[in-house]
Amino acid sequence: MSSCRNALEELVIEESEAQYKRLGADVKKRVDLSEVIAYTLNRLPPMYATTQRGWVQQRKRAEQELGSAITKTVRNGFLSTQSDVLRQSDPIPEHELISQARSLFKLRKLFSKDYLKWKDVPEIVRDALDSGYYQSLSNGSYVSLDRRNSLLARSYAVRRKSTAILPSASKVARTEKDISTEMKDFESYMSGTIYRYSNILESLVNAIVERRAQRLDETVQQKVNIDDVAAYVLNRLPPMYATSRRGLQNLRQRVKSEMTSQIISIVKEALTKVVQAPERSLSPLPFEKFNVELEESLVQLRELLGRDDITWRNVAEAVEECLRSPRADYPTWRAKHDV
């Protein structure tokens, strides 16, 4: 649900990372930040947004109304999750952690690049094919607790040092401002990708909304924005973030036994409101531009690797599979200067 995001997640992650940095070494070893983040999000009101305006409003509201609550709940999260024995043995299944940004994070791991954007991926893959880079690829997709905490500490430091002093020349200042905005938007896009948590209601609500919308008259369907309806529903349900397989199963059982009727009722209400609302032209979430880059990169990768089946869901696996193949099996292409 890249076009429908909980604005609270990024604020909770930032506070969790800040508090983690101040912990003693012994405590850090007993903490999984994914669990702290999920614990906190499950105890605060969701703030989903689908547009740039909504995103800014939700962030501002969260900062003004929930700042102290976020700090306190994160602190309680560190105290409450240290003894969770499920941490190492029962992680949430990989297929529950899917998003365009998470696919890009897998490619970052694959190429050992701390900073990689979708628009850079085709060229890096091309260079890797030329150099036989596959020998040094990392294995697997699970990031260990120590590795995740190491990544977050470095990520936290980079973000805190990224604010530059702008030169006085107006032209240069505008350029620096654009770069700063781009970096901030990209951080929002990638926020949370190194952690293993998921709000199980997102996929469930989205599926129900899509099925209900399909029952509407075709002309009415054209007025329905699925993401707007999903955000309306999710903002009226208790968040259900899970970090383990058992937690995922327990929450799903609770939804099935206690919340099905409530969810359907809110979906109906949301569809009615969205259909009746006047049409509007608002900018999408500020980081949606990176998904535009994604689509352009997928077109190039399909041609480069000779595979029409590549999507954002399987792009990391497809690239790794190709790079691990014997070099004799690599696809051939014409160099740019030959075109």
Side-chain angles (χ1 to χ4, degrees):
M1 295 182 62
S2 65
S3 298
C4 176
R5 289 271 294 270
N6 186 357
L8 204 59
E9 285 187 19
E10 190 172 6
L11 296 178
V12 169
I13 289 171
E14 290 174 356
E15 180 62 29
S16 299
E17 291 176 348
Q19 290 193 27
Y20 174 84
K21 193 177 182 183
R22 299 193 293 267
L23 296 177
D26 290 341
V27 178
K28 286 181 178 179
K29 293 178 181 179
R30 302 194 300 270
V31 167
D32 185 342
L33 274 161
S34 296
E35 295 172 7
V36 175
I37 293 166
Y39 174 97
T40 304
L41 290 169
N42 282 338
R43 287 157 178 80
L44 296 172
M47 292 188 172
Y48 282 86
T50 61
T51 65
Q52 182 171 10
R53 179 181 177 184
W55 180 260
V56 172
Q57 290 177 338
Q58 294 283 51
R59 291 260 315 189
K60 183 177 181 180
R61 178 187 163 207
E63 291 168 351
Q64 292 177 344
E65 300 178 10
L66 297 175
S68 59
I70 292 173
T71 300
K72 180 179 179 180
T73 310
V74 167
R75 188 182 303 119
N76 291 338
F78 278 109
L79 296 174
S80 301
T81 62
Q82 290 184 37
S83 59
D84 191 346
V85 297
L86 296 177
R87 178 182 305 140
Q88 298 292 348
S89 62
D90 193 31
I92 190 169
E94 191 69 29
H95 65 265
E96 297 292 339
L97 303 172
I98 56 172
S99 70
Q100 293 92 330
R102 287 187 183 276
S103 291
L104 181 57
F105 178 71
K106 289 181 180 180
L107 289 168
R108 280 184 170 187
K109 282 182 56 190
L110 193 63
F111 293 106
S112 300
K113 298 285 186 181
D114 289 336
Y115 191 82
L116 178 66
K117 298 173 74 171
W118 281 116
K119 63 183 179 182
D120 304 320
V121 171
E123 193 64 31
I124 286 180
V125 172
R126 184 188 296 270
D127 291 342
L129 289 171
D130 286 337
S131 63
Y133 180 76
Y134 67 96
Q135 291 97 335
S136 62
L137 292 180
S138 59
N139 288 309
S141 57
Y142 180 76
V143 186
S144 68
L145 175 59
D146 290 341
R147 175 59 175 161
R148 271 179 282 160
N149 290 342
S150 174
L151 284 171
L152 76 87
R154 179 167 28 170
S155 171
Y156 178 84
V158 168
R159 285 203 297 276
R160 292 299 174 265
K161 294 179 181 179
S162 63
T163 303
I165 299 176
L166 302 182
S168 57
S170 60
K171 182 175 181 180
V172 176
R174 284 196 300 271
T175 301
E176 292 289 345
K177 183 177 180 180
D178 291 342
I179 294 174
S180 177
T181 300
E182 179 88 0
M183 290 181 63
K184 180 173 176 52
D185 290 345
F186 191 62
E187 287 174 6
S188 294
Y189 180 72
M190 297 299 295
S191 178
T193 53
I194 69 172
Y195 302 113
R196 298 182 67 83
Y197 67 82
S198 176
N199 184 358
I200 70 160
L201 290 177
E202 290 184 3
S203 58
L204 174 63
V205 166
N206 201 58
I208 294 175
V209 170
E210 288 183 347
R211 288 199 298 269
R212 289 279 169 174
Q214 290 173 359
R215 301 178 186 179
L216 300 175
D217 183 84
E218 186 173 345
T219 57
V220 177
Q221 287 186 35
Q222 295 175 359
K223 295 184 61 177
V224 174
N225 183 309
I226 299 297
D227 293 319
D228 287 346
V229 178
Y232 181 99
V233 177
L234 289 167
N235 283 336
R236 286 158 179 80
L237 293 171
M240 291 189 167
Y241 286 86
T243 61
S244 68
R245 186 185 301 272
R246 184 179 300 178
L248 181 74
Q249 294 171 345
N250 290 341
L251 288 175
R252 282 182 171 164
Q253 183 59 40
R254 179 185 166 193
V255 170
K256 183 178 180 180
S257 61
E258 302 176 14
M259 299 178 61
T260 303
S261 298
Q262 179 188 9
I263 293 173
I264 293 175
S265 176
I266 299 176
V267 168
K268 292 179 180 178
E269 176 185 319
L271 283 169
T272 300
K273 287 186 176 294
V274 170
V275 169
Q276 293 177 348
E279 293 187 16
R280 56 180 184 167
S281 179
L282 297 176
S283 300
L285 292 171
F287 36 81
E288 270 301 292
K289 56 193 169 189
F290 301 113
N291 284 336
V292 175
E293 293 181 5
L294 160 63
E295 294 303 323
E296 295 172 351
S297 294
L298 289 179
V299 172
Q300 297 180 53
L301 289 171
R302 289 175 191 132
E303 180 179 0
L304 179 63
L305 301 179
R307 291 186 54 170
D308 294 332
D309 64 328
I310 295 179
T311 68
W312 66 262
R313 294 175 181 272
N314 68 1
V315 59
E317 291 76 13
V319 167
E320 181 172 4
E321 179 182 340
C322 183
L323 293 178
R324 288 188 181 281
S325 301
R327 297 199 66 178
D329 295 340
Y330 281 5
T332 58
W333 63 87
R334 298 175 64 188
K336 291 183 178 179
H337 58 267
D338 293 334
V339 178

